[in-house]
């Protein structure tokens, strides 16, 4: 098979898997359109994981001595016509691509659009009523712009009752947009300047499954997560939190709180989330005094990252835990009771990876019954 044909088939397979909600005719048309273009949209449509990336350097227009030219006004096109600033593939009529074009304003959005991409521009504001005509929108990408909360209309997303994914990471937002559609499933607000999330800021978002708020300045979350009945992932890493959010949802599976200033966790905090699998709390200020004896003794948790805190003892964990990261603490004792309350042939830990390097434990301090308790461990670093 010729190499070019193989490449086309591979690309077709990738497109089909990442845009599974489109029908086959639209998928093929989308692929054919982009094979003819010299530029392909670089946005990654990851469902639940937002990749770590370096802090975004905002690119403001350079200052000049002359008076800047006035910004052009968006064209008022007919409801079905594509704006001249954008691309609307004829065989994929529900998508509009306006990304990476140095736009300083939002062009008119035709009413038929479901997927609109404005990322990687110089947009600073969203005028009131900007999306009132496009009530069928499901995906809206506004990331990597310069949008500020002060220059957003009060109800710009109010009529988007079918919106499922909103991308506004890498902007200048100082607060969460409000109100947000109840249909929303993913909300991406990382790399902004948000400092507080009021308890009612996410009220009514019962369909939300993924919330990304990392790399902000948030010092208070209150009970804003409590009513999110479908939430699976909450990424609150790289903020200024001094306490954990109140009231985790029962649906939660992934909680990321690394790089904050948290020093204590309430008793039975994780027990209300019986599906919780991954907890990451590295680079905080946790001490043993701020933890109860059973804080992390949750049967659902498979991975627990407590590295680079101020722990002096190994906290007690459930025997179902598979990966435990405790490096970079002040632990000076290898306590086997933290892993196994009873050590015999029938009672043992399922732990596979244990990191204790960068502590004060000596290698000869490992108790003789450790191999029996930790019989499944393949990595133990001291």
């Amino acid at each position: 098979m010729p190499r070019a044909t193989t490449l086309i088939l591979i690309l077709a397979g990738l497109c089909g898997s990442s845009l599974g909600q489109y029908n086959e005719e639209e998928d093929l048309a989308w692929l054919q359109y982009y094979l003819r273009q010299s530029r392909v949209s670089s946005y990654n449509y990851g469902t639940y994981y937002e990749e770590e990336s370096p802090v975004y350097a905002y690119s403001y227009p350079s200052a000049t001595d002359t008076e800047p030219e006035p910004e052009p006004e968006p064209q008022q096109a007919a409801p079905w016509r594509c704006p001249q600033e954008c691309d609307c593939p004829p065989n994929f009529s529900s998508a509009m691509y306006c990304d990476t074009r140095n736009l300083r304003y939002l062009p008119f959005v035709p009413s038929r659009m479901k997927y609109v991409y404005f990322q990687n521009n110089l947009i600073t504001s969203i005028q009131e009523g900007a999306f009132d005509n496009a009530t069928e929108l499901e995906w809206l990408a506004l990331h990597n712009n310069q949008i500020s909360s002060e220059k957003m209309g009060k109800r710009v997303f109010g009529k988007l009752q079918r919106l499922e994914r909103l991308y506004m990471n890498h902007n200048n937002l100082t607060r969460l947009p409000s109100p947000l559609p109840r249909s929303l499933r993913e909300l991406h607000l990382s790399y902004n300047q948000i400092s507080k999330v009021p308890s009612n800021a996410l009220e009514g978002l019962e369909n939300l499954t993924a919330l990304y708020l990392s790399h902000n300045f948030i010092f208070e979350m209150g009970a804003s997560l409590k009513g999110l009945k479908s939430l699976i992932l909450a990424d609150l890493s790289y903020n200024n939190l001094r306490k954990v959010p109140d009231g985790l949802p029962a649906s939660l599976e992934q909680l990321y709180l690394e790089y904050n200033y948290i020093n204590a966790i309430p008793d039975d905090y994780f027990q209300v989330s019986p599906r919780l699998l991954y907890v990451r709390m590295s680079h905080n200020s946790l001490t043993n005094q701020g933890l109860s004896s059973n804080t992390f003794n949750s049967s659902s948790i498979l991975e627990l990252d407590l590295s680079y805190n101020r722990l002096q003892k190994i906290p007690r964990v459930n025997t179902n835990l598979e990966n435990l990261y405790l490096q970079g603490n002040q632990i000076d004792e290898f306590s086997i009771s933290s892993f196994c309350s009873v050590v015999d042939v029938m009672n043992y830990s399922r732990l596979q990876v244990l990191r204790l390097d960068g502590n004060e434990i000596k290698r000869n301090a490992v108790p003789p019954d450790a191999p029996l308790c930790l019989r499944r461990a393949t990595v133990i670093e001291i």
Side-chain angles (χ1 to χ4, degrees):
M1 182 181 294
R3 184 175 180 181
T5 305
T6 304
L7 179 59
I8 291 175
L9 289 176
I10 292 173
L11 287 174
L14 289 175
C15 293
S17 62
S18 63
L19 294 171
Q21 69 269 38
Y22 308 137
N23 59 42
E24 294 182 2
E25 182 179 350
E26 286 187 327
D27 280 347
L28 183 57
W30 182 89
L31 173 61
Q32 292 173 341
Y33 173 78
Y34 270 95
L35 288 175
R36 295 196 300 267
Q37 302 299 309
S38 61
R39 176 180 54 78
V40 180
S41 176
S42 60
Y43 191 67
N44 177 19
Y45 300 96
T47 303
Y48 288 125
Y49 290 95
E50 186 166 285
E51 296 292 335
E52 287 292 337
S53 57
V55 177
Y56 180 75
Y58 296 110
S59 54
Y60 294 94
S62 57
T64 59
D65 295 332
T66 60
E67 185 178 348
E69 295 182 5
E71 295 182 4
E73 292 294 328
Q75 275 195 332
Q76 291 298 318
W80 61 88
R81 190 172 300 167
C82 184
Q84 64 179 8
E85 303 93 337
C86 308
D87 288 333
C88 303
N91 295 324
F92 189 38
S93 59
S94 59
M96 185 170 84
Y97 297 90
C98 312
D99 53 301
T100 321
R101 296 160 195 255
N102 291 322
L103 295 179
R104 297 173 182 270
Y105 60 89
L106 284 173
F108 177 82
V109 182
S111 57
R112 70 177 187 272
M113 295 304 169
K114 294 182 179 180
Y115 316 101
V116 177
Y117 307 101
F118 292 114
Q119 70 267 27
N120 305 325
N121 281 296
L122 301 171
I123 300 168
T124 59
S125 62
I126 304 178
Q127 62 272 24
E128 192 71 60
F131 305 112
D132 284 2
N133 184 62
T135 56
E136 301 295 313
L137 276 181
E138 296 180 13
W139 289 20
L140 178 55
L142 289 160
H143 53 287
N144 288 347
N145 278 286
Q146 299 170 13
I147 300 169
S148 64
S149 297
E150 292 70 24
K151 294 185 178 180
M152 283 182 60
K154 293 182 179 180
R155 299 185 61 86
V156 291
F157 306 120
K159 293 186 178 181
L160 303 181
Q161 297 307 309
R162 297 190 179 184
L163 190 67
E164 294 184 358
R165 292 174 175 85
L166 176 60
Y167 301 90
M168 294 196 72
N169 37 305
H170 289 288
N171 275 286
N172 297 335
L173 300 177
T174 54
R175 59 179 180 270
L176 267 68
S178 180
L180 291 166
R182 293 175 178 266
S183 56
L184 209 59
R185 294 183 180 275
E186 292 184 21
L187 179 57
H188 298 253
L189 294 170
S190 298
Y191 292 96
N192 276 283
Q193 301 170 23
I194 300 167
S195 60
K196 184 178 180 180
V197 181
S199 292
N200 62 349
L202 302 168
E203 189 174 359
L205 301 185
E206 296 185 358
N207 294 307
L208 194 69
T209 59
L211 174 63
Y212 297 98
L213 281 168
S214 69
H215 295 88
N216 278 281
F217 303 104
I218 300 170
F219 66 90
E220 183 178 345
M221 286 289 297
S224 55
L225 302 182
K226 191 172 184 179
L228 304 179
K229 297 180 180 181
S230 302
L231 193 67
I232 293 175
L233 182 151
D235 186 355
L236 306 172
S237 57
Y238 293 88
N239 277 289
N240 294 328
L241 292 173
R242 298 187 179 275
K243 57 177 293 188
V244 290
D246 297 332
L248 296 180
S251 59
L252 196 65
E253 296 180 8
Q254 304 171 49
L255 178 62
Y256 303 141
L257 288 165
E258 61 263 41
Y259 287 92
N260 279 285
Y261 300 93
I262 300 167
N263 57 22
I265 301 175
D267 294 347
D268 302 324
Y269 180 69
F270 298 110
Q271 303 302 322
V272 298
S273 300
R275 301 179 183 177
L276 194 60
L277 300 173
Y278 307 101
V279 177
R280 297 178 184 172
M281 298 192 68
S282 67
H283 296 274
N284 275 279
S285 303
L286 291 173
T287 65
N288 291 96
Q289 291 73 30
L291 306 175
S292 73
S293 59
N294 284 310
T295 297
F296 299 110
N297 190 12
S298 171
S299 60
S300 66
I301 299 177
L302 298 181
E303 180 178 295
L304 177 60
D305 188 351
L306 300 174
S307 58
Y308 301 99
N309 277 280
R310 300 176 185 175
L311 299 174
Q312 295 178 315
K313 296 181 179 180
I314 300 174
R316 185 180 179 185
V317 295
N318 195 273
T319 55
N320 289 328
L321 188 69
E322 295 181 357
N323 300 288
L324 177 60
Y325 303 97
L326 289 166
Q327 67 269 28
N329 278 280
Q330 303 167 15
I331 300 169
D332 58 3
E333 178 186 359
F334 195 115
S335 52
I336 203 67
S337 60
S338 297
F339 309 102
C340 300
S341 56
V342 177
V343 182
D344 57 30
V345 176
M346 300 300 295
N347 296 281
Y348 57 91
S349 170
R350 277 72 175 171
L351 205 65
Q352 298 175 17
V353 176
L354 174 60
R355 292 280 306 272
L356 283 165
D357 46 308
N359 281 281
E360 300 175 14
I361 300 177
K362 297 180 180 179
R363 290 182 178 272
N364 59 6
V366 179
D369 52 355
L372 186 59
C373 169
L374 302 175
R375 67 185 71 174
R376 288 197 174 181
T378 57
V379 175
I380 298 180
E381 295 191 16
I382 299 179

